[in-house]
Amino acid sequence: MTRLTLRLDFANGSQIGPGKIRLLEAIADTGSIAAAGRSMGMSYRRAWLLVDQINRAFTQPAVTGQTGGSGGGGTALTDWGRELVALYRQVEAESRQASAAALARMEGMLGVACSQ
């Protein structure tokens, strides 16, 4: 089955796509940039840089640090961050639905896959 992958290129030069969205979802699940990065096979630094890009791209941060008590701090998505993920997933679902017939037609036109 063909997979539709979306990367949004905004007028301000910022981009967001499936990787950054998965990172935000992993942060929501784990409460940690480090743990989210590890779950995706990336270093803490790479994950932190991506979060920083996301936070700088918009007028509000998507991720915020949490000060902690005895268990230490953590990281969480802001309300805006959760909305950003939901909006991206909505655009993705609507694009997939709108493109279904054309994608099916293209799949029917595929030949034998060649190894590269």
Side-chain angles (χ1 to χ4, degrees):
M1 182 170 162
T2 300
R3 181 181 62 172
L4 178 67
T5 304
L6 294 178
R7 184 184 80 188
L8 306 176
D9 297 317
F10 296 104
N12 69 358
S14 299
Q15 301 169 332
I16 197 153
K20 287 179 182 173
I21 293 298
R22 278 195 310 272
L23 179 61
L24 293 177
E25 291 169 333
I27 290 169
D29 291 342
T30 64
S32 162
I33 293 174
R38 277 193 304 273
S39 75
M40 295 178 66
M42 70 176 72
S43 70
Y44 169 78
R45 177 162 171 70
R46 177 73 178 136
W48 186 91
L49 288 171
L50 291 171
V51 166
D52 188 55
Q53 287 175 1
I54 295 165
N55 281 345
R56 290 176 184 272
F58 297 97
T59 58
Q60 300 178 52
V63 176
T64 187
Q66 307 269 333
T67 56
S70 61
T75 307
L77 294 188
T78 62
D79 289 341
W80 162 239
R82 285 187 292 279
E83 184 178 3
L84 175 62
V85 170
L87 288 169
Y88 177 88
R89 292 299 185 200
Q90 179 183 346
V91 168
E92 184 180 56
E94 290 173 1
S95 297
R96 192 176 299 117
Q97 183 178 13
S99 302
L103 291 173
R105 175 84 173 112
M106 283 188 268
E107 282 181 341
M109 299 166 77
L110 289 173
V112 177
C114 54
S115 59
Q116 296 182 14

